[in-house]
Amino acid sequence: MKKVLTTCPYCGTGCNFYLLVNDNEELVGVEPSANTPVSKGGLCIKGWNSFQFVNHPERLTEPLIRKAGKLVESSWEDALSLIVEKLLGIQSKYGNDALMFLSSARATNEENYLLMKLARGVFHTNNIDHCARLCHASTVTGLAESFGSGAMSNSISCFEKSDCFFVIGSNTTEQHPLIGTRIIKSKQSGAKLIVADNRTIRLARMADLHIRHKNGTDIALLNGIMHVIIQEKLANEDFISKRTENYDAMRDVVLRYPPERVAAICEISVNEIILAARIFAEAKNAMLVYSMGITQHAHGVGNVKSCANLALLTGQIGRVGTGVNPLRGQNNVQGACDMGALPNFYTGYQKVIDSNIRDRFAKAWNVDNNSLSDKVGFSVTKAMDKALDGTLKAFYIMGENPVMSDANQEHVKKALENLDFVVVQDIFYTPTCEYADVILPAVSFAEKDGTFTSTERRVQLVRKAIEPIGEARADWQIICDLAKRLGSAEFNYSKPAEIMKELASLTPIYGGISYDRLGFTGLQWPCLDINHPGTPILHTEKFSRGLGKFSPVEHMGAVEPPDAEYPFVLSTGRCYFHYHTGTMTRRTRLLDREERFPYVEINPIDAKKLNIKDRDFVMLKTRRGMIKVMARVTDVIPVQVLFAPFHFVEGAANALTINTCDPEAEIPEFKVCAANLWRAE
Ligand code: SF4
């Protein structure tokens, strides 16, 4: 049995394991790796089963071209030639910015870098984005403004050394199970645990304090907690004076949020606010842990800045066991951001509007520096509007499934329908493929080399265990093939290590990263040169921007509050057994068996009023659409609130969500919209 050490293709925790390959070169299993730093011999159920989808009979194995409305098998030669002809035709007729590229949080760093290079260096547009826009765009924007770096400040190992966790908007045991386990272990060893989440998630059941604040009132809650900290003189005055700026502006706002006012906004008790403030501020080392419950709001950036404010106010940052720790959802969503698969940044968050940066990339890519666009491109959410109004004419989609993942599915479908040309590059036929003119078969994580960057900024190797299935090719090879046909001589790589060498030379935070150094444990960025050991904790002596910046943030109400017609608040998210749009986990026998149907959680009191019993089918409706799902009657969810996961194509929760976005980060409001439901006939 061949054993190949690699990195999990699911959540951003970044566990490592061995893929087991039999004598027939088939994947037959997974074995945990006891000595790697994150998983330490453990895996969650998704990791244990991560080999199963690779050999699924529905894998795309050859290129497909749509002819007379039907997809027909094609050669690589014909498919790539058609793409070149169509993209160049659209570019020459409508200009560079008529093209949009969607990169992928599932693909490797090297592949994200190359798609970014193709968009910017060959097609001269900054219209590139990926699904970080839908999960942590608020973090990238908010923490960059507060600290100068939009990444998790501490390491996963710090979870074993904290005295207090404030978990807000993160169902950690379900979405980042190996991190959740660390929180549980620390709690069992005496750490305090505050959970702010209106669902009684598993961590809430063991918390010292569980705050069930109303959906969308995080800013008010955090302002109220900070109000108490200031009034009770628990703020870290020394830290504030030496390491921060703009404190007075923040304090002036926070002082308008006494606990009585906040209790009314959040529909919680005054005591809960006071207790949370005292537990967090009095802990020796306390950390904030958040995820998409904080970021996926029309005021997501405000939420993130409020989290940063609390850390700055208490000085709970820059040391072991502290920090602001956004948990990134997907295996390489951190890396895709780092690689500049964003409309405003090159790699390492180097601004596209900076002419010195553009000069540097132009020189490295051997292109005219005037050819690199100085205009910030479209985000994926904006791109849907621009496809609808005719500004955008073509989408190149690598490993993304916007029909399932983006808010307001009908809006997305209409946008894709309105395009002249759509390419989808993926491992399975997804609902987005319905809109493709050309489909290119890509390979899974098990069939290629590369790197993923985990939520703790750890760059780790992904190692090829088996040969590609059918005629599928690695995304990096497809991009190189395409670029060569487009006339570029700058995509000559024989292996991903060469791509890493190039991108590291252009990216200061990856400057010391090379395949030779990654070995068994990987390296955490910033890793500035070949002698740099990597950085487990950010902002230790000073913040990435110098001083930490307080931001005054006011509470904002819901974009679409419930009313007589739609009396419930609908929140969407994920469940333990599935991952993102379900493309891989729904094709994994065990995972699909455990969670087979789309469902909605409803409180028993509401269910009784509506004569809905557990496992009844219900119609779930919002102003955007209606789906049929199974009712899960549970007091995990409060009265008048509903929760639906978005993994299920047969009951797509994003048919219901609202595409109103945060004005800065352009992330949609996935967590609060008005809904109604009734028992299906
Ligand atoms: Fe994979 Fe995340 Fe589970 Fe680890 S916790 S095995 S990275 S899905």
Side-chain angles (χ1 to χ4, degrees):
M1 195 84 79
K2 185 169 77 174
K3 287 170 47 170
V4 180
L5 184 66
T6 194
T7 304
C8 183
Y10 287 124
C11 87
T13 305
C15 296
N16 305 104
F17 52 71
Y18 292 95
L19 282 171
L20 306 181
V21 186
N22 71 11
D23 290 343
N24 297 327
E25 286 290 299
E26 294 162 340
L27 283 183
V28 291
V30 154
E31 184 179 300
S33 158
N35 300 319
T36 43
V38 181
S39 36
K40 292 183 173 174
L43 291 174
C44 79
I45 195 163
K46 288 196 281 288
W48 273 110
N49 287 279
S50 60
F51 69 100
Q52 279 200 13
F53 71 86
V54 174
N55 286 306
H56 194 281
E58 289 171 13
R59 277 286 302 273
L60 291 169
T61 55
E62 50 207 336
L64 302 168
I65 292 178
R66 195 174 297 278
K67 286 184 180 161
K70 282 204 171 124
L71 287 165
V72 294
E73 290 164 7
S74 134
S75 65
W76 275 102
E77 174 71 28
D78 288 352
L80 292 175
S81 297
L82 180 64
I83 294 169
V84 167
E85 179 198 322
K86 290 286 187 183
L87 294 185
L88 288 180
I90 288 168
Q91 185 186 32
S92 82
K93 190 167 174 192
Y94 300 104
N96 305 334
D97 293 333
L99 308 175
M100 179 78 203
F101 293 81
L102 296 193
S103 206
S104 176
R106 263 85 65 204
T108 63
N109 285 322
E110 294 74 8
E111 290 163 341
N112 278 285
Y113 171 77
L114 285 193
L115 194 67
M116 184 277 295
K117 181 174 174 179
L118 184 81
R120 294 192 161 118
V122 177
F123 287 104
H124 316 302
T125 180
N126 287 321
N127 288 344
I128 180 163
D129 203 9
H130 72 288
C131 65
R133 184 69 45 201
L134 311 171
C135 60
H136 271 284
S138 319
T139 296
V140 175
T141 304
L143 290 191
E145 284 182 38
S146 299
F147 302 154
S149 169
M152 182 167 161
S153 68
N154 284 51
S155 292
I156 292 169
S157 61
C158 281
F159 283 71
E160 290 154 11
K161 293 164 189 146
S162 184
D163 305 303
C164 174
F165 298 91
F166 184 3
V167 180
I168 181 165
S170 161
N171 190 353
T172 323
T173 56
E174 295 222 2
Q175 308 315 326
H176 299 86
L178 275 268
I179 296 177
T181 304
R182 280 173 164 86
I183 296 176
I184 291 170
K185 281 188 182 158
S186 288
K187 167 69 186 141
Q188 287 167 341
S189 303
K192 296 279 186 196
L193 175 60
I194 307 163
V195 174
D197 195 316
N198 73 7
R199 291 169 75 219
T200 310
I201 57 173
R202 187 169 168 213
L203 284 180
R205 284 187 234 132
M206 61 183 69
D208 297 279
L209 175 63
H210 177 203
I211 302 171
R212 300 186 86 176
H213 61 307
K214 196 172 135 188
N215 292 53
T217 61
D218 306 277
I219 293 170
L221 174 65
L222 290 159
N223 277 351
I225 290 170
M226 288 188 278
H227 180 104
V228 174
I229 289 171
I230 292 169
Q231 294 293 21
E232 296 197 358
K233 305 206 180 318
L234 296 171
N236 189 332
E237 301 289 349
D238 189 46
F239 187 90
I240 293 167
S241 68
K242 287 185 182 145
R243 304 249 347 237
T244 71
E245 63 180 349
N246 211 30
Y247 174 59
D248 291 348
M250 191 282 299
R251 188 194 53 205
D252 289 350
V253 168
V254 158
L255 290 181
R256 296 203 292 271
Y257 287 81
E260 295 72 20
R261 180 186 171 205
V262 171
I265 295 171
C266 299
E267 297 178 2
I268 55 175
S269 74
V270 166
N271 278 346
E272 289 170 281
I273 300 161
I274 295 171
L275 198 54
R278 289 176 184 165
I279 294 174
F280 190 82
E282 288 173 352
K284 189 167 169 228
N285 295 308
M287 64 160 62
L288 260 152
V289 180
Y290 74 76
S291 196
M292 281 163 261
I294 281 291
T295 57
Q296 287 183 324
H297 286 284
H299 48 263
V301 173
N303 282 357
V304 169
K305 286 180 181 172
S306 295
C307 290
N309 285 343
L310 178 58
L312 293 174
L313 182 69
T314 51
Q316 296 286 14
I317 188 155
R319 307 187 310 278
V320 170
T322 67
V324 176
N325 296 292
L327 304 181
R328 310 297 294 254
Q330 298 178 66
N331 55 326
N332 199 34
V333 71
Q334 180 66 56
C337 292
D338 299 345
M339 292 302 105
L342 295 168
N344 49 344
F345 293 120
Y346 284 93
T347 56
Y349 310 95
Q350 301 176 88
K351 292 179 179 161
V352 298
I353 54 170
D354 184 329
S355 61
N356 293 325
I357 300 296
R358 290 199 306 278
D359 286 349
R360 191 157 171 240
F361 278 83
K363 201 168 162 208
W365 294 347
N366 204 17
V367 296
D368 179 355
N369 58 358
N370 291 322
S371 72
L372 297 183
S373 173
D374 60 357
K375 200 173 100 191
V376 170
F378 295 134
S379 64
V380 59
T381 41
K382 187 68 74 62
M384 295 302 167
D385 299 336
K386 294 294 170 187
L388 259 180
D389 76 14
T391 306
L392 286 171
K393 300 292 182 188
F395 272 30
Y396 191 105
I397 303 173
M398 176 177 84
E400 292 266 294
N401 186 7
V403 169
M404 287 291 293
S405 61
D406 291 28
N408 192 350
Q409 190 179 66
E410 200 52 32
H411 179 72
V412 173
K413 285 180 176 177
K414 281 186 184 149
L416 294 176
E417 260 166 24
N418 205 37
L419 291 165
D420 291 354
F421 189 63
V422 178
V423 180
V424 175
Q425 189 168 306
D426 215 317
I427 60 173
F428 288 110
Y429 188 92
T430 68
T432 301
C433 291
E434 295 287 318
Y435 301 87
D437 297 286
V438 181
I439 299 173
L440 300 176
V443 303
S444 72
F445 79 113
E447 301 149 71
K448 64 184 173 187
D449 290 320
T451 55
F452 294 153
T453 304
S454 73
T455 188
E456 60 169 350
R457 299 168 278 103
R458 188 181 296 275
V459 185
Q460 304 189 101
L461 286 168
V462 177
R463 295 178 177 90
K464 182 175 172 178
I466 57 168
E467 290 302 316
I469 309 278
E471 289 185 32
R473 296 180 185 175
D475 292 303
W476 69 269
Q477 288 171 317
I478 299 172
I479 299 164
C480 290
D481 290 345
L482 196 57
K484 283 174 200 159
R485 279 163 195 275
L486 287 157
S488 174
E490 297 301 317
F491 286 75
N492 283 317
Y493 311 97
S494 63
K495 54 188 177 184
E498 293 172 5
I499 307 169
M500 174 58 82
K501 191 174 173 197
E502 176 179 312
L503 76 89
S505 73
L506 287 163
T507 314
I509 57 174
Y510 276 64
I513 292 179
S514 68
Y515 277 35
D516 293 343
R517 293 192 69 203
L518 289 178
F520 214 59
T521 57
L523 283 164
Q524 287 174 278
W525 68 254
C527 176
L528 303 178
D529 57 57
I530 53 162
N531 298 314
H532 196 288
T535 310
I537 302 175
L538 300 178
H539 319 308
T540 49
E541 303 296 324
K542 60 175 189 156
F543 286 92
S544 306
R545 67 180 295 280
L547 294 173
K549 185 179 177 189
F550 281 105
S551 309
V553 191
E554 295 277 8
H555 164 68
M556 285 165 261
V559 175
E560 189 187 62
D563 55 21
E565 195 182 354
Y566 294 96
F568 290 89
V569 168
L570 173 68
S571 184
T572 62
R574 301 164 189 231
C575 68
Y576 179 57
F577 295 100
H578 289 296
Y579 171 77
H580 213 242
T581 65
T583 309
M584 301 186 293
T585 52
R586 296 294 311 279
R587 291 181 173 93
T588 299
R589 196 167 34 85
L590 183 82
L591 300 177
D592 201 45
R593 186 194 73 190
E594 291 297 314
E595 204 68 90
R596 184 161 283 183
F597 298 104
Y599 65 87
V600 61
E601 289 180 358
I602 178 170
N603 185 276
I605 294 169
D606 292 323
K608 193 170 177 199
K609 274 189 207 158
L610 296 169
N611 195 24
I612 293 170
K613 295 189 187 59
D614 193 40
R615 301 178 72 80
D616 276 355
F617 278 100
V618 295
M619 303 310 298
L620 180 57
K621 186 169 184 246
T622 70
R623 290 185 173 86
R624 271 74 51 200
M626 181 164 71
I627 56 174
K628 188 176 182 180
V629 294
M630 193 177 266
R632 182 165 293 176
V633 179
T634 169
D635 58 9
V636 160
I637 195 95
V639 174
Q640 292 296 112
V641 180
L642 306 168
F643 171 82
F646 73 99
H647 316 291
F648 301 91
V649 67
E650 61 274 44
N654 277 322
L656 310 176
T657 47
I658 189 165
N659 56 321
T660 304
C661 291
D662 181 287
E664 279 185 88
E666 298 184 1
I667 186 171
E669 176 60 79
F670 285 107
K671 298 299 187 197
V672 180
C673 71
N676 204 351
L677 83 170
W678 59 89
R679 208 168 70 166
E681 293 305 319

